Amino acid sequence: MLLGHTLDDQAETVLLGLGRGSGPRSIAGMRPHDPPWHRPLLVVRRAVTHAACYELGLKPWHDPHNFECRFTRTRLRLEVLPLLEEVLGGGVAEALGRTATALREDTDSLDELARHVLDDITTSGGELDTAALGPLPDALRRRVIRSWLLAGGATDLTDVQIRGVDRLVTAWRGQGGVAVASGLHRQRLFAQRRHGVLTLHIESV
């Protein structure tokens, strides 16, 4: 499916990620190709797409939400980005787009490394060996943990949750588990440390 996101949409996404402190994965923005979604216009400015529609005699549909300033993204679009362009002398959207690309490349490389490490340190029972996790660089270790949690059924992971599980490895003091997903039927998925390994288990709430 082809989506019409432009470079301006990418810049807004990067700014939202920065403002929310969501980490490099969020600041890396949208992917040009993320099957089944494809964004062929992600390097094109919004004004260019508008001009192309005018030139071709096309009347695009405008989402009315795009003009509602009660939405954060709309305020970024109408107020913040124009101000940044003025203060910094232009080129802000392009610079944010380049930042997203660079971070996406770095993130993809670290994710690939994390997948290989995960295969090596996962036990036959699907647990994670904390002795093998501990010496890893912080960024790599947390990516290994994230991949393991997702594979185990975690959903909508936040940086706070991942760091909470990471502390079970790096700052172990006998603390309890970390909730990493809420499911149906009043159940939650927890990550906890037992006998030197990280395990996942479901608890009723």
Side-chain angles (χ1 to χ4, degrees), residues 66 68 81 125 175 179 191 202:
N66 289 339
E68 290 280 350
L81 271 170
Q175 64 264 41
I202 295 174

Side-chain angles (χ1 to χ4, degrees), residues 148-149 165 176-181 187-192 199-205:
W148 174 71
L149 292 173
V165 177
V178 178
V180 292
Q187 292 182 328
R188 298 180 77 180
L189 183 67
F190 281 82
Q192 65 180 23
T199 65
L200 287 169
H201 70 283
I202 295 174
E203 289 185 5
S204 297
V205 294

Side-chain angles (χ1 to χ4, degrees), residues 117-191:
V117 173
L118 180 62
D119 290 340
D120 291 338
I121 68 173
T122 303
T123 70
S124 58
E127 299 131 341
L128 277 187
D129 182 353
T130 59
L133 269 175
L136 296 175
D138 293 350
L140 181 57
R141 185 181 58 253
R142 284 194 285 270
R143 278 170 170 77
V144 172
I145 290 171
R146 178 181 181 274
S147 296
W148 174 71
L149 292 173
L150 291 173
T155 55
D156 300 323
L157 282 171
T158 66
D159 185 63
V160 171
Q161 288 172 314
I162 294 170
R163 288 178 183 273
V165 177
D166 188 43
R167 284 192 292 275
L168 298 177
V169 179
T170 62
W172 173 243
R173 300 184 304 277
Q175 64 264 41
V178 178
V180 292
S182 297
L184 300 175
H185 311 302
R186 300 178 62 81
Q187 292 182 328
R188 298 180 77 180
L189 183 67
F190 281 82

